[in-house]
Amino acid sequence: MPGVAVTTATPADLDSLARFLEAEWRGRLFAPDTSPEALENSIRRPGLGWERTYLARRDEEIVGVLDAWDTGAFDATRVVSYSAAATIARGVHAAARTVLREGAPLPEPGEAFRSLTITNLAIRGGHPRVLRALLSAVNNDHVSQGFHLMHLGATGGEDWASALRGWLRQRFSSSLYTLT
């Protein structure tokens, strides 16, 4: 997006990140603690880190943030088998990888997809171009590292379709349950 620069965060960004998330998530149901201490603890989770915390800035001001969390240490989607159609698609994918020299080979039956879960997402004004810039940066940084998927959740009223145009995606509904 013109005028938006995406970088990974550093510890020096902690206070401005906390202020941005506090402003964006104020009044939001189930919003996590946005204190600098809580954010730093969150960023230090296994599979996350500063190198997977992305900031979008316009004129040095944060306008978007997301974390690209590798949850592979405790969560995996394993391939049991491929259908005939999926086997053909897998062959097409392998051919495209050869030509484009990008992307990881799809897993063999019994192996897991490598995926990133997009979390701690906040976009000032819900601007889809900012989200697209952030997701593109995540993709560019991780496609050569063997990742296959990004999981992006959206709540009712969030329409990210224009940000995701041209990317393969699967929509599904889910329900949340509170355990006490």
Side-chain angles (χ1 to χ4, degrees):
M1 173 181 188
V4 172
V6 176
T7 62
T8 54
T10 69
D13 295 311
L14 185 60
D15 289 335
S16 58
L17 177 59
R19 285 191 302 275
F20 175 77
L21 290 174
E22 171 61 29
E24 291 303 306
W25 289 346
R26 188 175 295 124
R28 192 169 193 168
L29 189 61
F30 302 120
D33 184 354
T34 58
S35 69
E37 298 80 18
L39 287 175
E40 189 167 31
N41 287 336
S42 175
I43 289 169
R44 290 184 180 189
R45 290 178 290 192
L48 193 52
W50 291 104
E51 71 280 4
R52 289 204 174 117
T53 299
Y54 287 79
L55 303 176
R57 289 186 171 97
R58 181 180 296 122
D59 299 324
E60 302 302 315
E61 182 182 357
I62 296 174
V63 294
V65 63
L66 64 74
D67 290 334
W69 190 13
D70 177 3
T71 58
F74 59 87
D75 181 40
T77 301
R78 294 209 176 277
V79 175
V80 175
S81 65
Y82 285 102
S83 67
T87 299
I88 292 168
R90 191 166 176 245
V92 170
H93 179 268
R97 282 187 54 248
T98 302
V99 172
L100 300 175
R101 306 228 188 274
E102 285 190 357
L106 295 178
E108 297 287 337
E111 294 178 345
F113 284 98
R114 289 198 62 207
S115 63
L116 296 167
T117 299
I118 303 304
T119 185
N120 292 336
L121 174 65
I123 308 291
R124 179 162 296 142
H127 203 293
R129 287 186 179 170
V130 173
L131 176 61
R132 184 160 186 102
L134 285 162
L135 292 175
S136 293
V138 171
N139 181 68
N140 292 341
D141 288 352
H142 291 86
V143 71
S144 65
Q145 296 177 27
F147 286 91
H148 303 102
L149 308 168
M150 280 190 280
H151 299 283
L152 171 66
T155 60
E158 290 179 327
D159 182 9
W160 299 123
S162 63
L164 303 174
R165 191 166 290 121
W167 288 13
L168 296 176
R169 61 182 187 230
Q170 177 64 46
R171 294 182 65 146
F172 63 92
S173 297
S174 62
S175 299
L176 296 177
Y177 299 92
T178 302
L179 304 175
T180 57

